[in-house]
Amino acid sequence: MNRIAIIVGLVLLAAAGFGWYQYSYLPDQEAAEAARVAEEDAARAADEAREAAEAAREEAAAAAEETEDAASRCGRRHRGSRAHRR
């Protein structure tokens, strides 16, 4: 009788351990992996956004410089005209 009780106890202990692994430990590991992947994706997206912002800033600076150059050329061309004397 004691031998059967010990075997039943070990089987129940093994079943409890397997249940803990399958329903507690494993989902925690999967969630941690998903969080790590999401963090990497967010970092990658932030880097892409930073690069896009830098490109937009450079493009805006180039456009402002072109506008400034065009305005200065326009001013030289019409400096003596009647439109600027008014």
Side-chain angles (χ1 to χ4, degrees), residues 11-35:
V11 168
L12 289 176
L13 190 59
F18 179 73
W20 171 80
Y21 175 78
Q22 186 175 4
Y23 297 109
S24 181
Y25 181 77
L26 193 59
D28 289 345
Q29 293 298 335
E30 291 171 350
E33 177 65 21

Side-chain angles (χ1 to χ4, degrees), residues 67-78:
T67 303
E68 197 173 289
D69 289 345
S72 67
R73 283 193 306 265
C74 180
R76 276 185 259 142
R77 194 173 351 154
H78 298 291

Side-chain angles (χ1 to χ4, degrees), residues 54-69:
E54 181 63 31
R57 187 178 3 219
E58 291 172 0
E59 186 176 318
E65 188 174 315
E66 287 179 17
T67 303
E68 197 173 289
D69 289 345

Side-chain angles (χ1 to χ4, degrees), residues 3 25 39 41 44-45 48 74 76 80 85:
R3 182 178 277 170
Y25 181 77
E39 184 178 355
D41 289 346
R44 191 175 306 114
E48 290 173 0
C74 180
R76 276 185 259 142
R85 289 184 193 160

